[in-house]
């Protein structure tokens, strides 16, 4: 038996009573994370959901040690990433983060050079780098021959976001984190990005983590939600279980999926209607059942 026992392996990411204060020790100190604990296993698809300023970005930035972390709080593959001498470069080759503001991630003027930046810095050959740039741009619907020499500043916001995602994809990290990737995209752009992420997650067996203030996008992409509010975890569980209590989420200023909102309203007519419906088809089936039509 040389199969890896994933259940016995340490979680790929674990936070233990993680706390974080920006500008600690200064008059402008701001306590962002009060107490957050969870672990994420390989291959999971997790939505980190919560209202603005609840701490989502701070939590995911900790995964790649982009903050001044204290010991004993953030672990990767069972190792404390804040241990002196821990190889942060290796960590960042394993955890790819697409930031909330993609412009902060773009380092070159030209699309091809920007996507090539990470693989080149990681020491890949020119040939392998070119292959990855082509593959990543193509995957994001930015055909390589057409886009590789385009100036980034002349692209639309949605296209710049896709270039930023391509730059992270080109690194082939086993963990892919996207911080509010759907923000600013039109419905078609959202659908395309969603389909791409679902396909990539399957093909590459990724651990996928998506931050969002909307449960709609995240519910189609993820099978577990970690809900944050004011720097604490308020709910952590399978998507359907979390959606079973929509009242609690509505209080938090999180956008609920449309079928869940409809199910809540229709619950006034059908008292036993479940709210954990992810699609309109599921909702329709539940209603038809209650009308005795199926
Ligand atoms: N660079 C920073 N300096 C100071 N405070 C910050 C910084 N980044 C975030 N914060 C504060 O930390 C808290 C959590 O922010 P953030 O993690 O960005 O939440 P979210 O991503 O859910 O909007 C907020 O109160 C925010 O103002
Ligand atoms: Mg954020």
């Amino acid at each position: 038996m040389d199969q890896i026992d994933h259940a016995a392996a340490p979680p790929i990411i674990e936070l233990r009573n993680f706390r974080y204060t920006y500008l600690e020790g200064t008059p402008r100190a701001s306590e962002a994370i009060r107490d957050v604990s969870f672990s994420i296993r390989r291959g999971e698809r997790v939505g980190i959901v919560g209202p603005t300023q609840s701490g989502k970005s701070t939590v995911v930035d900790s995964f790649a040690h982009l903050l001044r972390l204290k010991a004993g709080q953030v672990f990767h593959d069972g190792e404390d990433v804040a241990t002196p001498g821990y190889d942060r470069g290796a960590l960042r080759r394993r955890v790819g983060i697409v930031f909330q503001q993609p412009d902060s991630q773009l380092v070159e003027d030209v699309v091809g050079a920007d996507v090539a930046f990470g693989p080149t810095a990681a020491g890949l050959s020119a040939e392998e780098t070119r292959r990855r740039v082509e593959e990543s741009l193509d995957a994001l619907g930015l055909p390589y021959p057409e886009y590789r020499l385009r100036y980034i500043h002349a692209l639309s916001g949605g296209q710049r976001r896709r270039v930023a995602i391509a730059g992270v994809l080109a690194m082939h990290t086993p963990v892919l984190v996207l911080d509010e990737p759907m923000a600013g995209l039109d419905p078609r752009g959202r659908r395309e990005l969603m389909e791409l992420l679902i396909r990539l997650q399957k093909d590459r067996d990724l651990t996928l983590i998506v931050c969002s203030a909307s449960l709609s996008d995240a519910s189609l992409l993820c099978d577990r939600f970690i809900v944050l509010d004011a720097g604490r975890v308020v709910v952590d569980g399978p998507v359907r279980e979390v959606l079973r209590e929509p009242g609690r989420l509505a209080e938090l200023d999180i956008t609920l999926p449309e079928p869940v909102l409809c199910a809540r309203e229709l619950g006034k007519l059908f008292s036993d209607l479940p709210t954990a419906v992810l699609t309109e088809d599921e909702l329709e089936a539940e209603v038809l059942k209650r009308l005795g039509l199926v």
Side-chain angles (χ1 to χ4, degrees), residues 20-23 28-34 48-61 67 100 179-180 211-213 228 230-231:
Y20 195 78
T21 302
Y22 285 96
L23 304 168
R28 288 167 57 220
S30 116
E31 195 184 7
I33 304 299
R34 298 196 151 86
I48 299 192
V49 190
T52 312
Q53 306 224 315
S54 56
K56 304 180 293 296
S57 296
T58 307
V59 160
V60 296
D61 285 351
L67 309 164
Q100 193 169 350
D179 196 348
E180 312 229 12
C211 293
S212 176
L228 296 182

Side-chain angles (χ1 to χ4, degrees), residues 49-269:
V49 190
T52 312
Q53 306 224 315
S54 56
K56 304 180 293 296
S57 296
T58 307
V59 160
V60 296
D61 285 351
S62 80
F63 298 164
H65 202 331
L66 301 174
L67 309 164
R68 289 162 180 275
L69 297 177
K70 294 189 173 130
Q73 303 193 345
V74 181
F75 297 81
H76 185 88
D77 259 338
E79 277 187 82
D80 184 346
V81 305
T83 307
Y86 184 88
D87 188 349
R88 287 194 205 185
L91 178 66
R92 286 172 201 164
R93 287 193 293 277
R94 300 186 49 76
V95 180
I97 305 185
V98 180
F99 298 124
Q100 193 169 350
Q101 265 88 37
D103 287 344
S104 65
Q105 195 141 30
L106 301 169
V107 290
E108 297 277 351
D109 294 334
V110 173
V111 171
D114 189 80
V115 179
F117 182 84
T120 306
L124 295 180
S125 69
E127 193 188 339
E128 176 63 10
T129 297
R130 201 206 76 106
R131 209 184 58 71
R132 289 203 186 178
V133 172
E134 181 165 5
E135 163 201 84
S136 307
L137 285 173
D138 285 350
L140 281 147
L142 302 169
Y144 176 77
E146 196 182 322
Y147 279 89
R148 71 189 177 99
L149 294 176
R150 296 274 286 270
Y151 279 102
I152 289 176
H153 66 79
L155 299 178
S156 71
Q159 287 171 327
R160 287 204 301 276
R161 183 176 290 277
R162 285 192 271 166
V163 174
I165 297 173
V168 176
L169 282 188
M171 296 298 291
H172 285 197
T173 56
V175 180
L176 179 63
V177 181
L178 298 111
D179 196 348
E180 312 229 12
M182 306 297 171
L185 295 189
D186 58 25
R188 178 159 160 237
R190 281 169 186 243
R191 207 169 44 243
E192 285 175 359
L193 182 55
M194 197 102 77
E195 283 164 7
L196 166 79
L197 292 173
I198 291 170
R199 198 175 64 231
L200 272 176
Q201 194 273 336
K202 284 206 190 99
D203 290 354
R204 295 193 187 168
D205 197 19
L206 293 172
T207 304
L208 182 68
I209 298 161
V210 180
C211 293
S212 176
S214 157
L215 286 174
S216 302
D217 299 330
S219 66
L220 300 176
L221 217 48
C222 303
D223 30 41
R224 170 181 170 198
F225 284 151
I226 298 173
V227 182
L228 296 182
D229 186 43
R232 287 197 170 85
V233 176
V234 288
V235 192
D236 178 354
V239 166
R240 291 200 192 253
E241 269 172 40
V242 172
L243 292 177
R244 223 164 269 155
E245 287 186 74
R248 205 161 153 209
L249 301 173
E251 279 165 24
L252 293 178
D253 201 15
I254 295 172
T255 311
L256 290 167
E258 203 64 39
V260 174
L261 291 172
C262 290
R264 277 186 91 193
E265 280 305 304
L266 288 169
K268 291 170 190 160
L269 297 174

Side-chain angles (χ1 to χ4, degrees), residues 270 284-294:
F270 309 100
E284 187 182 317
E286 292 291 344
V287 170
L288 290 177
K289 223 190 282 173
R290 274 151 192 86
L291 289 172
L293 294 176
V294 283

